[in-house]
Amino acid sequence: MSWFTRKKPPDEKLPKIENGERRVRTEGLWQKCESCRQIIWKKELEANFGVCPRCGAHSRIDAVTRLKLLLDGGEFQQFDAALRSSDPLGFVGKEPYRDRLNAVRQTTSLSDALISAAGALDGRPIQICAMDFRFIGGSMGSVVGEKIARAIERAIERHTPLVIVSTSGGARMQEGAISLMQMAKIAAALMRLDEARLPYISVLTDPTTGGVTASYAMLGDLNIAEPGALIGFAGARVIEQTIRQKLPEGFQRAEFLLDHGMLDAVVPRLELKPYISKALKFFVA
Ligand SMILES: [Zn+2]
């Protein structure tokens, strides 16, 4: 079986809604797929965990949806949900970082850009972290770093595998060097997990960039990505300007990285759970 096949968009189109009145009433129920431009019923898209039922394109999903997708019965026990950034630099950008945090906490109902949880995957207890791109671009600051480090410690304590699902714009600028230090902290904790001979599976989703790619997202015993995910360190434009060369087609996409040996597999979202289950069976026996 191939994990990399992508369904071609079917030719049939949905009937156009001509009636202006009907258009108003149905607003918000339908969504245009960014990939195939077809109109999809939002509920259908949600039921399909954000995978377009027409063309198979993967749209971004939040951390809670991700945990529901991967864990048995969609059930999980959350940890460290009260951890908050102390705004160590007293950072003020367009607005104070503190205000930005408060606003995003309100709109997302999250304390930071990652949910750390325990649950069962096909009956096997695991520790799992899922990032959420809606929270300041899924950026990695002190809270994300600390939550992951604690999840790794719990995995060692409870002797369970670890899964981290990344989606991130990279380190959180507003916490400066403290964000960057998380990379080393998590990498050191992952080494202890390795010494305890426990597997870590990294799932890279669209987009995974910057300091997250440069640390834990690429440190899995298996590094697997979703189809079409943008994965890289610096952005394509910055690289083009630096090396003064045009970059090849598909650069920094999951399939390109797989072809160049940077990933172990590209796995469609709806096949992720059985894939990880199989991998863990292989690792843990
Ligand atoms: Zn589509």
Side-chain angles (χ1 to χ4, degrees):
M1 192 191 337
S2 166
W3 303 102
F4 328 125
T5 45
R6 225 178 168 188
K7 275 182 216 144
K8 275 193 182 154
D11 290 322
E12 97 274 356
K13 287 211 169 89
L14 285 176
K16 264 192 186 154
I17 299 167
E18 299 292 346
N19 187 320
E21 224 179 288
R22 249 176 85 196
R23 186 173 298 164
V24 173
R25 263 190 278 142
T26 55
E27 203 178 332
L29 292 174
W30 302 88
Q31 198 172 318
K32 197 182 221 171
C33 169
E34 292 293 325
S35 182
C36 68
R37 317 298 296 163
Q38 295 217 45
I39 310 290
I40 315 154
W41 195 32
K42 252 191 188 168
K43 279 219 169 124
E44 197 184 351
L45 190 65
E46 280 164 19
N48 217 25
F49 292 96
V51 178
C52 172
R54 316 244 175 265
C55 74
H58 289 45
S59 56
R60 291 173 191 166
I61 53 173
D62 61 54
V64 171
T65 308
R66 176 66 64 179
L67 293 174
K68 284 186 178 159
L69 168 78
L70 293 178
L71 296 173
D72 297 353
E75 284 171 22
F76 56 90
Q77 182 193 0
Q78 218 185 122
F79 294 96
D80 307 314
L83 271 189
R84 300 244 188 293
S85 169
S86 62
D87 184 15
L89 305 181
F91 188 89
V92 179
K94 264 187 208 157
E95 59 184 328
Y97 174 42
R98 202 169 282 267
D99 294 353
R100 177 99 190 266
L101 281 173
N102 283 332
V104 186
R105 277 185 200 127
Q106 295 262 318
T107 53
T108 60
S109 309
L110 295 167
S111 71
D112 213 291
L114 177 137
I115 294 181
S116 164
L121 193 150
D122 263 351
R124 184 192 300 279
I126 61 162
Q127 298 297 318
I128 182 166
C129 296
M131 301 190 75
D132 199 312
F133 197 77
R134 298 170 306 155
F135 201 102
I136 319 187
S139 51
M140 170 195 57
S142 52
V143 174
V144 167
E146 182 62 20
K147 277 187 170 182
I148 294 178
R150 290 186 188 187
I152 297 168
E153 279 163 11
R154 266 196 313 278
I156 296 170
E157 241 166 63
R158 302 181 182 190
H159 211 74
T160 65
L162 171 76
V163 176
I164 301 178
V165 185
S166 295
T167 169
S168 178
R172 189 171 296 168
M173 178 191 82
Q174 293 90 333
E175 292 185 22
I178 291 161
S179 291
L180 299 179
M181 284 151 76
Q182 307 308 315
M183 298 166 65
K185 181 167 92 179
I186 297 165
L190 283 173
M191 202 172 78
R192 290 200 296 276
L193 187 77
D194 186 57
E195 283 163 1
R197 306 193 67 76
L198 292 164
Y200 159 41
I201 293 179
S202 173
V203 181
L204 297 91
T205 71
D206 186 62
T208 298
T209 61
V212 170
T213 309
S215 61
Y216 56 87
M218 282 294 188
L219 290 176
D221 293 301
L222 270 184
N223 299 321
I224 58 183
E226 286 190 336
L230 175 79
I231 297 160
F233 181 66
R237 211 172 346 120
V238 174
I239 299 172
E240 276 188 345
Q241 282 166 3
T242 309
I243 64 170
R244 296 186 187 171
Q245 278 181 46
K246 195 103 189 83
L247 291 167
E249 181 76 21
F251 182 74
Q252 287 186 331
R253 292 290 165 185
E255 294 74 8
F256 185 94
L257 269 77
L258 180 72
D259 284 347
H260 291 79
M262 298 289 288
L263 292 171
D264 295 304
V266 175
V267 184
R269 186 172 293 163
L270 301 178
E271 292 168 27
L272 265 177
K273 186 176 176 181
Y275 186 95
I276 295 173
S277 171
K278 204 170 148 191
L280 290 179
K281 215 176 268 173
F282 171 77
F283 279 124
V284 192

